[in-house]
Amino acid sequence: MTVSCALRFLCHVQDLSDPGAKGFPPAPGGFFGLFAIRRGDNVRVYVNACPHIGVPLEWAPDRFLSSDGQHIVCGTHGALFDLLSGACQAGPCKGDHLTMVPVTIENGAVYVAADAGL
Ligand code: FES
């Protein structure tokens, strides 16, 4: 069995506001982009697809958060998601989750698996 361990660099933690978010295009050959959020020392990366109908969440480039920075918000129908768990707390997909991508953070750099989001 072959296990892929290639990593894809996304950004540095310091590139993310606190709280803040940043979007990334799909990996080569991929369909879904990713986005990273930060709150304090916590960084999460999610597949950029709303569990409601699968569209990207941001309403403008890198605009994934509610105005108070306390939730991820879907720009299409306004669903609200917990920043750190990706759980939908309000909206048409309440009870569902964003797809979280495991991250590796080394020396302040954020990496995901090269095939994340494929
Ligand atoms: S597409 Fe996200 S709430 Fe409908």
Side-chain angles (χ1 to χ4, degrees):
M1 182 169 89
T2 302
V3 177
S4 172
C5 60
L7 296 177
R8 173 186 175 196
F9 170 75
L10 284 188
C11 64
H12 290 95
V13 174
Q14 65 190 23
D15 296 335
L16 301 167
S17 301
D18 180 16
K22 185 171 178 52
F24 302 93
F31 184 73
F32 294 107
L34 304 175
F35 68 99
I37 67 97
R38 175 185 177 194
R39 182 161 69 189
D41 292 335
N42 296 297
V43 173
R44 299 287 189 271
V45 175
Y46 298 101
V47 174
N48 188 8
C50 182
H52 184 209
I53 57 172
V55 297
L57 285 97
E58 74 271 40
W59 49 274
D62 297 331
R63 305 304 293 259
F64 291 88
L65 302 187
S66 56
S67 58
D68 63 3
Q70 297 304 302
H71 292 89
I72 298 162
V73 62
C74 176
T76 301
H77 300 121
L80 298 175
F81 301 87
D82 181 77
L83 289 180
L84 300 182
S85 72
C88 182
Q89 299 176 324
C93 47
K94 185 175 180 179
D96 212 334
H97 285 76
L98 297 171
T99 301
M100 190 181 297
V101 174
V103 299
T104 299
I105 299 177
E106 286 186 12
N107 299 321
V110 180
Y111 299 90
V112 297
D115 60 358
L118 294 182

